Amino acid sequence: MSEKELHKTENIAVTERIRNIKTFVPQVDIYETKDSLFLIADMPGVDEKTVDIELNKNILTIVGNVCPEVIKDKTMVYSEYEIGDYERSFTLSDEIDREKICATVKNGVLHLELPKAEKVKPKKIAIKAA
Amino acid sequence: MFTPNLWRFRRFPDAAPEILRLQREMNRLFSNAEQSTPHDFPAVNIWEDAVSAFVTAELPGIDPEKLDIEVTGDILTLSGTSRVETLKEGETYLRQERVQGGFKRKIQLSFPVDAKNVEAHYEKGILSIKLPRLKESLPKKIKIN
């Protein structure tokens, strides 16, 4: 586990926000099945109302907005992580059926299903007896 | 094992996160520049007021049932397993960055905790724990005769 980046990485490539908040790169897993690609992104602090998924031409962008909780009358004594927005973009190939992409958010984890287009799904070719 | 020493920042509460960040950055620069330093998991933030401590940790996508929170004296122990997903046959990972596996972390607070009244919430992937200070350890006013 030590080789992996355990903590949040700031996204410096992203355009700056108007509000003064940092942007982080969510960590993702992507796996492929016969029919779809699945993308899972860790975005603690977001829910279904604060996550945005945008598909512009070939670029899929996931954005999560996190409102830092205002903690009154308390002083911070120790800090290991910072709170901020999430943003990350991926280039999709034409293999993805754009119309059928679906997304869910649960416990701060975004699940995205990217179904493959019919034409690129592997097909079995039946062999006829000659 | 390293446990956060809360007394260190007592006098500069607002500067604490910034100082810690700077310290991490310096450590990174002077250690192996390319190698990222291993951190403790999960990362925590700690707040305090006169009667309680508040610990938050980012633990996205875990099952709250499988998370153990224990308190002994002034030590808070967090342990559990972040999901281990196994793929079915014919499925392949193209990218795997998310943390998997078990974790256990002990955090020393600056006062003993009233273990019976600890409250924990898990929402949107963030665990927050309220740890009230043990009554016996509250500061007592001393009158000057």
Side-chain angles (χ1 to χ4, degrees):
Chain A
M1 214 148 87
S2 62
E3 283 175 19
K4 279 192 186 175
E5 191 64 59
L6 282 183
H7 287 201
K8 289 171 156 182
T9 328
E10 201 177 340
N11 194 340
I12 30 175
V14 85
T15 38
E16 284 189 64
R17 295 291 149 90
I18 299 209
R19 46 190 195 128
N20 183 20
I21 199 158
K22 283 188 181 174
T23 308
F24 296 96
V25 186
Q27 289 173 327
V28 301
D29 284 354
I30 301 177
Y31 65 92
E32 188 176 7
T33 66
K34 214 160 60 194
D35 303 320
S36 308
L37 285 180
F38 288 89
L39 187 151
I40 307 168
D42 278 346
M43 299 162 99
V46 307
D47 59 19
E48 62 281 356
K49 291 182 207 104
T50 52
V51 71
D52 261 321
I53 300 154
E54 203 183 276
L55 186 61
N56 192 355
K57 287 177 187 162
N58 265 355
I59 313 287
L60 174 84
T61 308
I62 49 179
V63 179
N65 292 312
V66 180
C67 286
E69 242 181 287
V70 187
I71 298 189
K72 273 189 243 160
D73 312 323
K74 292 175 199 135
T75 44
M76 182 176 246
V77 286
Y78 184 74
S79 170
E80 285 179 343
Y81 70 88
E82 289 174 283
I83 295 162
D85 291 345
Y86 299 94
E87 182 165 340
R88 193 159 176 183
S89 302
F90 297 92
T91 310
L92 294 186
S93 66
D94 292 329
E95 289 172 30
I96 304 297
D97 188 344
R98 278 123 209 279
E99 304 302 314
K100 289 186 191 149
I101 296 176
C102 73
T104 51
V105 180
K106 197 192 168 198
N107 286 345
V109 181
L110 171 74
H111 288 257
L112 209 56
E113 189 185 347
L114 308 157
K116 289 185 194 169
E118 282 299 326
K119 56 175 183 187
V120 293
K121 272 188 200 165
K123 268 181 212 140
K124 259 226 156 147
I125 294 158
I127 302 166
K128 287 177 203 155
Chain B
M1 199 178 117
F2 172 77
T3 49
N5 184 342
L6 301 185
W7 302 106
R8 217 182 296 162
F9 306 106
R10 229 338 110 73
R11 273 196 244 163
F12 314 101
D14 298 330
E18 205 47 35
I19 292 169
L20 281 161
R21 195 190 60 76
L22 192 67
Q23 186 189 26
R24 268 206 303 273
E25 200 67 13
M26 291 302 247
N27 285 345
R28 194 180 62 78
L29 283 174
F30 290 105
S31 60
N32 304 324
E34 289 305 308
Q35 214 171 20
S36 61
T37 46
H39 295 280
D40 292 321
F41 183 86
V44 296
N45 280 354
I46 307 175
W47 284 268
E48 270 181 24
D49 63 12
V51 289
S52 326
F54 302 84
V55 176
T56 60
E58 291 191 329
L59 284 163
I62 57 152
D63 181 359
E65 300 283 314
K66 286 185 189 152
L67 183 71
D68 279 323
I69 304 164
E70 280 167 39
V71 177
T72 22
D74 60 352
I75 308 274
L76 168 73
T77 311
L78 298 175
S79 55
T81 8
S82 44
R83 95 270 92 196
V84 182
E85 278 156 16
T86 41
L87 294 184
K88 289 180 218 100
E89 226 189 289
E91 302 180 345
T92 42
Y93 268 116
L94 305 175
R95 230 175 235 265
Q96 205 174 0
E97 298 169 353
R98 296 162 69 228
V99 177
Q100 289 205 357
F103 60 87
K104 183 167 188 170
R105 179 151 191 208
K106 288 184 185 210
I107 298 152
Q108 185 176 20
L109 300 164
S110 55
F111 49 73
V113 173
D114 182 0
K116 276 181 204 143
N117 293 313
V118 173
E119 290 168 35
H121 292 277
Y122 182 68
E123 197 190 7
K124 294 192 232 173
I126 296 172
L127 174 76
S128 43
I129 312 168
K130 185 185 175 193
L131 303 134
R133 190 167 176 163
L134 202 69
K135 281 222 170 61
E136 287 77 55
S137 81
L138 282 172
K140 284 169 197 82
K141 272 228 159 133
I142 291 153
K143 259 192 200 159
I144 302 167
N145 295 322

